Amino acid sequence: MQQLRDTASQLMILNDEIAQTYSRYQNDRKLFCRSGCGQCCLHPGIEASVLEMLPLALHLYDTGLAESTLDALQQHDHDQAGCFFYQATSEDRKSGQCGVYPYRPAVCRMFGAAGYRGREGEVLLSVCKVIRAGAPEAVIATEQSLSSETPPMMRNHKAQIAQLDYELSKENMPIKQATAAALEKVLTKAYYAGLV
Ligand code: SF4
């Protein structure tokens, strides 16, 4: 159990660095997320690794919510409602907030604008469609700057995270599944450590 806690602590530090890196880039390039926008959280297919959900699973365990959250995750009709942890604040569900913000996975810290590599190895820009529609000139200027200014690359940060625990990082799956797997891991460790 202590090893899981140590890994989660290291990941939380790395997560903060990742969030700052993407936030700084997005601010510099004027590719801001609209305040209160939750449209990315409506996508049911957002994927994370089990490792990315480990800090949340430990937090739920420490607050006595591990079993009940695992039950709720297993019963949740995920595909219709977007992410299990999304809390909509508008009727059309397009505005809202993350219910587990401090423990959100790394992938959610890279939302908005980030770099990735195309088939030929070229650097490309991934931009959320809401940002693209709201700031088309900033998107064009950023795309034109790609050869001189490399954006933060999602793949590099995923690789950095994987170095903390290859086994728990080797597969990406929908956030709901990854959280359930992380909770099962924590509960199993706690059981064998005689903590439950
Ligand atoms: S974990 Fe939070 S930020 Fe990430 S998709 Fe779910 S609600 Fe959105």
Side-chain angles (χ1 to χ4, degrees):
M1 193 69 161
Q2 189 55 46
Q3 196 182 345
L4 284 185
R5 289 194 185 281
D6 291 345
T7 303
S9 297
Q10 291 172 45
L11 177 54
M12 288 294 275
I13 293 168
L14 191 50
N15 273 345
D16 281 346
E17 289 172 13
I18 289 171
Q20 283 173 25
T21 298
Y22 284 80
S23 173
R24 202 165 37 237
Y25 179 76
Q26 290 161 11
N27 284 341
D28 287 350
R29 301 307 318 182
K30 299 192 170 36
L31 298 172
F32 310 107
C33 287
R34 185 166 54 78
S35 176
C37 177
Q39 292 200 46
C40 45
C41 307
L42 287 174
H43 288 282
I46 298 170
E47 293 192 335
S49 65
V50 175
L51 176 61
E52 284 181 72
M53 303 319 298
L54 182 62
L56 175 61
L58 283 164
H59 168 71
L60 292 168
Y61 173 75
D62 289 339
T63 51
L65 295 169
E67 281 102 341
S68 59
T69 304
L70 186 55
D71 286 347
L73 282 165
Q74 285 164 349
Q75 289 164 21
H76 181 242
D77 182 4
H78 186 259
D79 294 343
Q80 298 304 314
C83 178
F84 175 84
F85 299 108
Y86 179 56
Q87 298 172 341
T89 55
S90 66
E91 261 185 53
D92 65 3
R93 299 184 55 79
K94 289 182 177 173
S95 295
Q97 62 200 21
C98 176
V100 292
Y101 191 78
Y103 301 98
R104 70 199 187 287
V107 63
C108 305
R109 297 163 200 259
M110 305 179 201
F111 282 162
Y116 69 100
R117 291 213 177 263
R119 284 194 193 152
E120 310 295 326
E122 73 279 29
V123 175
L124 298 171
L125 186 70
S126 163
V127 187
C128 140
K129 65 180 181 187
V130 178
I131 295 177
R132 188 177 282 279
E137 288 164 9
V139 172
I140 291 169
T142 303
E143 285 173 337
Q144 287 172 343
S145 76
L146 288 177
S147 55
S148 57
E149 186 187 0
T150 305
M153 302 294 285
M154 292 185 281
R155 199 169 165 170
N156 294 352
H157 289 109
K158 279 283 215 182
Q160 231 181 327
I161 290 168
Q163 284 176 7
L164 296 178
D165 189 316
Y166 174 72
E167 271 310 300
L168 294 181
S169 308
K170 65 183 183 187
E171 195 182 345
N172 285 315
M173 56 190 88
I175 285 175
K176 173 180 138 177
Q177 271 171 257
T179 307
L183 281 168
E184 281 166 359
K185 181 100 190 157
V186 167
L187 286 167
T188 304
K189 284 274 181 196
Y191 177 80
Y192 284 110
L195 300 173
V196 289

